[in-house]
């Protein structure tokens, strides 16, 4: 797969073990020019170190809770890259106290925060990206099976992922005539910094490995390779789809 001449923006790179970074590295290896965002000055140096390993990267600050910063990212991409072919949304957040106990105990503010960061942010990103996708494009969001199944400890994040998946379908419909495809990858549990904040995560990984047809967990690189497919012309007829990358776990009943 050759992505030479295509530009990609990746939201959600936290460190070198994050799924977003695996995707960024894989797309770059295929020839794409990469723009990375970081949330605040505290994370800038970490993002800069990763960006230094890429060829001609663009590094931009973006707190996804700020609409002005989201717009500024795409304004900068237009100025510095000219056009855009790929958008990867790998952002999710919920307060730690809302990832323990009962979903029923989630407060109004915690619910709002999880849905705003994890789901709503895809909407302005696609809205601003679309005018830059002059030759069409591919949008990828990261989701998880907790959108439709109960994972104790995932709580309000499962609700947020359900909202995100509906957005993927709706946006695929709304932007299809512009040749912009919108899909989601439903990854199995990958050992990232964010995942470690989920109560019972290690038990979740063991259960997946025990029950998955392939008899193991997946890696961030396997998710990235699927993203590469979705960003390439090989997936030109695929949109509005939630694609599981979980070693087959999603097909099992017991």
């Amino acid at each position: 797969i050759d992505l030479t001449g295509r530009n990609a923006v990746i939201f959600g790179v936290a460190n070198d073990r994050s799924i977003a970074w695996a995707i960024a590295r894989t797309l770059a290896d295929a020839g794409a020019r990469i723009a990375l965002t970081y949330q605040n000055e505290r994370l800038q140096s970490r993002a800069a170190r990763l960006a230094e390993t890429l060829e001609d990267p663009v590094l931009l600050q973006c707190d996804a809770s700020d609409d002005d910063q989201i717009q500024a990212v795409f304004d900068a991409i237009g100025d510095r890259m000219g056009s855009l072919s790929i958008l990867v949304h790998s952002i999710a957040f919920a307060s730690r106290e809302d990832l323990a106990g009962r979903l029923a105990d989630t407060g109004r503010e915690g619910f709002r925060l999880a849905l705003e960061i994890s789901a709503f942010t895809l909407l302005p990103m696609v809205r601003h990206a679309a005018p830059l996708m002059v030759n069409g494009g591919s949008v990828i969001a990261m989701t998880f099976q907790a959108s439709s199944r109960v994972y104790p400890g995932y709580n309000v994040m499962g609700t947020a992922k359900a909202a995100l998946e509906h957005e993927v379908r709706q946006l695929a419909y709304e932007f299809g005539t512009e040749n912009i495809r919108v899909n989601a990858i439903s990854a199995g549990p990958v050992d990232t910094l964010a995942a470690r904040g989920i109560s019972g995560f290690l038990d979740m990984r063991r259960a997946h490995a025990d029950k998955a047809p392939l008899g193991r967990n997946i890696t961030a690189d396997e998710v990235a390779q699927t993203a590469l497919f979705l960003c390439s012309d090989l997936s030109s007829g695929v949109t509005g789809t939630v694609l599981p990358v979980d070693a087959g776990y999603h097909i099992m009943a017991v």
Side-chain angles (χ1 to χ4, degrees), residues 38 50 64 77 96 104 118-119 126 134 147 167 197 203-204:
Y38 59 92
L50 294 175
I77 288 173
R96 183 174 293 272
S118 309
V126 173
V134 292
S147 62
E167 291 173 19
D203 292 335
M204 188 189 304

Side-chain angles (χ1 to χ4, degrees), residues 62-144:
C62 184
D63 182 338
S65 66
D66 186 332
D67 286 336
D68 290 339
Q69 290 193 38
I70 292 175
Q71 180 171 350
V73 165
F74 290 97
D75 288 344
I77 288 173
D79 291 340
R80 298 174 61 178
M81 304 177 90
S83 64
L84 191 65
S85 299
I86 297 161
L87 163 63
V88 177
H89 178 284
S90 187
I91 297 176
F93 180 80
S95 299
R96 183 174 293 272
E97 57 267 25
D98 292 324
L99 297 177
R102 304 186 307 172
L103 174 64
D105 296 326
T106 305
R108 185 182 299 273
E109 179 59 22
F111 188 93
R112 183 201 63 77
L113 182 63
L115 270 289
E116 177 183 334
I117 301 301
S118 309
F120 169 78
T121 51
L122 180 63
L123 303 183
M125 289 180 189
V126 173
R127 186 170 66 247
H128 291 303
L132 298 173
M133 292 181 165
V134 292
N135 296 312
S138 176
V139 177
I140 299 174
M142 298 305 306
T143 188
F144 183 57

